Amino acid sequence: MNTRQLISHYLYMNRKSYIFAIIFIFLVNWLQVEIPRYIQLAIDLIDDASNDGHQQLQTYVAIVVGMSVAMVVVRILSRVYALNPGRIAEAALKNRLLKQLNRLPNSYHEKFASGRLISIMNNDVMGVRLMFGIGFLQFFNTMFALSLTPIWMWRISPELTMYSVIPISIAFVIFRIGFKRMKVLHTEHMNRLQSLSAQLMSYLSGIDLIKNQRMSPWVTTEIEKLNQQLLRCRMQITRIQVFFLPVLDYANDLMKILILGLGGYMLMNQELTLGEITAFLTYSVLLAMPLMQLGRIATIYQRGIVGIQSAQTILNAKIPETDQTRLADEDVEQLKGESLSVRNLSFHYPNDERLILDNISFDIPAGKKVGVLGGIGSGKTTLVNCLNHHLDVPTNAIFLGGKDITDFARSDLRRYVKTVTQDPYLFSATVEENIRFGSSNNDATKEQVDEVLSLSQLANDVARFEDGDQTLVGEKGIMLSGGQKQRLSIARALLEPADLVIMDNVLSAVDYETERKILNGLFERLKHQSVLVVSHRVNALEYMDEIIVLNEGKIIAKGDHKTLLKTCPYYLETWQLQQNEAEASAC
C-alpha cells in the first residue's frame, strides 16, 4: 500500500465524520462572511434618524447576535467531527503496526532496533494523528475562507480586492520555497529522533554494565552527539518557520495598509461608504487568519507524510507467504500426537559461513522426554530457535507429522511448540497476571494458577511476598531474583502446555535440589506432552528418556544417562566435573 492509498484508506474509514465536519466547517465560514455584511448595513443606518431606520438597525443587530451564537455552536460541532477521526486513525494505525510487527519474522527485527520501532509507533504516528485531525480541520477551514471571503470582498470593491491580492501572491512564492525545504528537514528530524530513541533503549538495557564499568561519561558524550545533531536539524526547521512561513503574516499586514490607504481615498471620493470600508477591513481580518494557518498546515502535512512513510517501512515489510495462511482448527488438532523429526539439519547465520549446526538428526516422539547437553557455543540455543522456527531454517530439515515446518505458518507451529527461554521476559504486572499471560483464553482458575506455582517451586517464595501473587514484579521482573524469574516463566508455560515444551537452559539460576523438584513436577504435569530440556548441567537431564550430546554443532552421542556414562567420554567427564563442583559447594 503506497502513501496515497494509505491516506485514502483512513479518509474512507472516517468518511461519515468527515462529511459532517465539512458541512459544519462550511457553515462556520459562511456565517463568518455574512456577519460583516449585516454590520456594514447597520453602520450605514447609524445616520438614519427615522423610525424605520431605527427598527431596521435593531433587526440587523439581532441578526448579527443570532448568527454569532449559531456560529459558536456550529464551530464546536465542526471540531468534534473533524478532530475525532485523527484519534481513530492513530489508534487503527497503531493496532495495525503492532499486528504487523507481531507477524514479521526475526530477520526483520534484527535489522531495526527496538528504540527505532518505538519512535515510529509514538513520535511518527503522532504526525499522522495531527494530519487526519487538526490538519483536516484547518485545511478545509482555510479552503472555504480563501474561497468565500474574496467573493464577498469582490462584491464590495473589485478594484480594492485586486490590490489586496498583490502582496499575497508575492508571499506565496516565498512560502513555496520554505515549504519544499521543510519536507526534507522533517524527514531528517524523524530519522534522527529514531536514532536517538534506539540509542537510549540500548543504553538503558545495559545501565548496570554502564554503571559498573564507569562508562557514564562516554555514554553522555555519545548521547550529546545525537542530541546536538537533532538540535541542529530542529533549529533549521525553526528558522524556516520564523523567516519563511511568517511571510504570509507580513503580506496580511501590507494588505491592511493598502486597504486603509486606498479605501480611505475611495471613501473621500464617495466611491465607498463607511460601512463598506468597515466590512472590507473585517473581511481582511477573516482572510488573514487562514493565511496565518497555512504555515501550520504545511508543518502538519509534512509531519503526517513523513509519519506515514515511516509507518510504511513496517506495513510494507514482506511477511513470508507461509505465515499469511493459517491452518484450520481441525488441521491443528490433527497435529496433536505427531512426532517432531530433525533430518540432516545444518545451519549458519547470514554473512557467516561457519556452520553452527552440522548435520543434526533426531526424533521427538509424542510424550517423549529428550535432553540436549552441550557446553557454551555448542549450538544449543540455535537448535532451539530452529525447532520453533524462530530462525529461517532450511527446507526439508525439520518435520512435524511428516510435513516440513517451513510450510507451516509460525503462529500455527507455536500452537504445537511452546518455548521457555533462558532469558525470561516478565511484564510489569502482578505475579498472577504474568502467569496468566501463558494462557490463550485467560480463563484459567485461581486453583490452576496456584498449582503451577507449586509445580515450579515458586509457591513458598510467593507466600512470603507482602501481597502474595498480587505482588508487582516490576519492569522485566526487576523485583525478583534470577531463579524466581526462571521459575515464574516455567509456571507460565505449565498453565497451558503445548504438545512440545522446550526448556532452554531455564534452570541455570536454581540449585540442584530445586531443579530436581521442578523437573519431577514438570514430568508429572506433562505426562502426555513431549519435553525437550536443553542444559549444560548433567543433573538436569538424568531422568530423560534420551539425551543428545552436542559439541561444536555436531551430535557426538545419544542415549540415556546410564548408557552415556559408559559410552561417551565427554558426557562422563562433564558429569564428574559437575559432581565435584556440587560437593565442593556443599562443603
Side-chain angles (χ1 to χ4, degrees):
M1 186 177 291
N2 58 35
T3 303
R4 183 177 297 177
Q5 290 172 330
L6 196 65
I7 294 174
S8 300
H9 171 75
Y10 288 110
L11 288 176
Y12 184 77
M13 175 191 291
N14 298 287
R15 60 192 181 282
K16 292 182 180 179
S17 184
Y18 279 141
I19 290 172
F20 282 113
I22 292 171
I23 292 172
F24 288 127
I25 293 170
F26 175 80
L27 289 175
V28 168
N29 283 276
W30 180 80
L31 288 169
Q32 282 186 155
V33 295
E34 277 294 303
I35 289 173
R37 187 167 69 87
Y38 286 98
I39 292 175
Q40 168 199 329
L41 295 174
I43 289 175
D44 288 339
L45 284 173
I46 290 177
D47 294 333
D48 190 346
S50 65
N51 290 331
D52 291 340
H54 280 293
Q55 289 179 355
Q56 192 68 32
L57 178 61
Q58 291 175 356
T59 301
Y60 290 150
V61 171
I63 291 173
V64 169
V65 172
M67 283 186 169
S68 299
V69 173
M71 189 172 68
V72 171
V73 175
V74 175
R75 190 187 294 276
I76 293 173
L77 290 173
S78 70
R79 275 155 174 69
V80 169
Y81 283 106
L83 298 181
N84 281 347
R87 292 289 183 182
I88 295 170
E90 179 189 32
L93 182 57
K94 283 186 174 181
N95 288 335
R96 190 173 174 184
L97 288 170
L98 184 60
K99 183 178 179 181
Q100 178 78 350
L101 286 171
N102 227 2
R103 298 177 65 193
L104 288 169
N106 185 55
S107 56
Y108 175 85
H109 292 278
E110 288 177 347
K111 298 176 184 176
F112 295 92
S114 299
R116 185 177 293 274
L117 297 177
I118 291 172
S119 180
I120 291 174
M121 294 281 284
N122 289 334
N123 301 321
D124 297 12
V125 173
M126 185 188 298
V128 178
R129 168 171 62 82
L130 293 174
M131 185 175 74
F132 283 104
I134 194 168
F136 178 91
L137 171 67
Q138 291 182 345
F139 173 77
F140 277 95
N141 200 29
T142 300
M143 185 181 72
F144 288 135
L146 294 178
S147 300
L148 295 177
T149 306
I151 294 175
W152 264 251
M153 292 171 71
W154 186 272
R155 289 178 177 177
I156 294 175
S157 173
E159 183 181 357
L160 198 55
T161 304
M162 291 299 295
Y163 280 115
S164 301
V165 171
I166 294 173
I168 297 175
S169 301
I170 297 172
F172 264 111
V173 175
I174 302 173
F175 176 82
R176 180 65 178 172
I177 297 172
F179 183 79
K180 287 183 176 180
R181 179 61 180 152
M182 282 269 289
K183 182 177 181 180
V184 177
L185 289 173
H186 272 298
T187 303
E188 181 184 347
H189 182 263
M190 291 296 185
N191 290 333
R192 294 200 180 283
L193 199 59
Q194 291 172 18
S195 298
L196 179 61
S197 178
Q199 199 77 320
L200 283 172
M201 284 285 294
S202 176
Y203 291 149
L204 287 173
S205 298
I207 190 67
D208 291 335
L209 174 65
I210 291 170
K211 290 179 178 178
N212 292 336
Q213 299 297 324
R214 293 185 296 177
M215 298 167 63
S216 297
W218 175 80
V219 170
T220 302
T221 302
E222 292 299 309
I223 290 295
E224 184 60 22
K225 288 179 183 177
L226 294 176
N227 263 328
Q228 288 300 319
Q229 292 173 353
L230 184 63
L231 176 62
R232 282 194 292 271
C233 183
R234 183 71 253 179
M235 288 302 296
Q236 286 179 297
I237 293 175
T238 304
R239 288 189 189 100
I240 292 177
Q241 290 175 333
V242 170
F243 294 109
F244 279 85
L245 302 188
V247 70
L248 296 172
D249 298 348
Y250 307 148
N252 172 61
D253 294 336
L254 183 58
M255 179 179 66
K256 289 179 181 177
I257 293 173
L258 285 172
I259 292 172
L260 287 172
L262 294 175
Y265 176 77
M266 296 172 76
L267 178 63
M268 288 187 293
N269 291 337
Q270 296 184 344
E271 297 178 25
L272 293 175
T273 65
L274 181 61
E276 288 174 330
I277 289 294
T278 304
F280 204 94
L281 281 171
T282 305
Y283 286 133
S284 71
V285 173
L286 294 177
L287 192 63
M289 293 176 64
L291 287 175
M292 289 187 290
Q293 292 295 336
L294 280 176
R296 190 178 181 190
I297 293 172
T299 303
I300 291 173
Y301 172 78
Q302 296 293 3
R303 284 193 62 183
I305 294 298
V306 170
I308 287 175
Q309 290 172 347
S310 294
Q312 284 178 308
T313 61
I314 299 175
L315 296 177
N316 293 340
K318 186 177 181 181
I319 299 174
E321 292 184 7
T322 52
D323 288 340
Q324 298 180 25
T325 305
R326 299 279 307 268
L327 291 176
D329 290 338
E330 54 269 20
D331 294 329
V332 175
E333 286 295 321
Q334 291 178 2
L335 294 176
K336 293 191 177 212
E338 296 290 348
S339 298
L340 186 73
S341 302
V342 181
R343 293 289 178 268
N344 305 316
L345 170 63
S346 295
F347 182 85
H348 65 85
Y349 288 98
N351 303 321
D352 185 0
E353 294 301 322
R354 181 175 61 91
L355 286 177
I356 306 300
L357 298 175
D358 188 0
N359 200 28
I360 302 292
S361 296
F362 63 91
D363 295 302
I364 308 178
K368 191 173 183 179
K369 310 301 184 279
V370 178
V372 176
L373 176 73
I376 296 173
S378 60
K380 302 188 302 298
T381 299
T382 300
L383 176 60
V384 168
N385 290 332
C386 286
L387 294 179
N388 59 26
H389 206 182
H390 189 62
L391 297 173
D392 295 327
V393 298
T395 57
N396 298 320
I398 304 176
F399 301 89
L400 176 58
K403 297 180 180 178
D404 193 336
I405 67 165
T406 58
D407 294 333
F408 290 103
R410 284 176 170 84
S411 55
D412 287 331
L413 179 64
R414 287 163 192 163
R415 293 162 75 179
Y416 176 88
V417 180
K418 180 173 286 189
T419 306
V420 187
T421 64
Q422 58 185 322
D423 297 317
Y425 186 92
L426 301 180
F427 299 93
S428 184
T430 65
V431 171
E432 181 181 352
E433 287 171 337
N434 269 283
I435 293 174
R436 289 185 181 276
F437 282 134
S439 176
S440 58
N441 53 24
N442 208 27
D443 290 335
T445 63
K446 185 67 167 61
E447 289 74 19
Q448 290 175 306
V449 173
D450 293 337
E451 181 185 0
V452 295
L453 274 173
S454 178
L455 289 173
S456 63
Q457 302 300 307
L458 190 60
N460 291 336
D461 293 39
V462 171
R464 290 193 292 268
F465 294 160
E466 183 177 354
D467 297 322
D469 59 9
Q470 299 306 307
T471 301
L472 290 171
V473 302
E475 186 177 1
K476 296 183 180 180
I478 194 172
M479 304 300 294
L480 305 180
S481 67
Q484 289 171 337
K485 291 179 187 179
Q486 289 185 339
R487 282 177 280 163
L488 184 53
S489 67
I490 292 172
R492 177 193 293 168
L494 291 177
L495 186 62
E496 189 180 295
D499 291 78
L500 172 60
V501 177
I502 300 176
M503 302 178 65
D504 182 14
N505 208 22
V506 295
L507 301 172
S508 59
V510 300
D511 57 71
Y512 288 104
E513 186 61 29
T514 303
E515 177 184 66
R516 192 180 299 275
K517 290 179 181 179
I518 291 174
L519 288 174
N520 288 336
L522 180 73
F523 294 154
E524 182 65 26
R525 173 83 170 182
L526 304 176
K527 288 182 178 179
H528 305 293
Q529 282 89 14
S530 305
V531 179
L532 180 70
V533 178
V534 178
S535 180
H536 62 275
R537 284 161 44 170
V538 176
N539 286 35
L541 308 175
E542 287 185 20
Y543 303 103
M544 297 292 161
D545 298 326
E546 183 180 44
I547 302 171
I548 298 168
V549 183
L550 272 182
N551 188 29
E552 295 182 354
K554 297 180 180 180
I555 294 179
I556 60 174
K558 291 181 187 178
D560 58 22
H561 176 66
K562 292 180 180 179
T563 302
L564 290 173
L565 286 176
K566 298 175 182 178
T567 61
C568 181
Y570 175 85
Y571 187 87
L572 175 62
E573 182 182 348
T574 304
W575 180 75
Q576 289 175 338
L577 182 62
Q578 292 177 1
Q579 289 294 105
N580 293 334
E581 289 177 354
E583 291 173 1
S585 61
C587 295

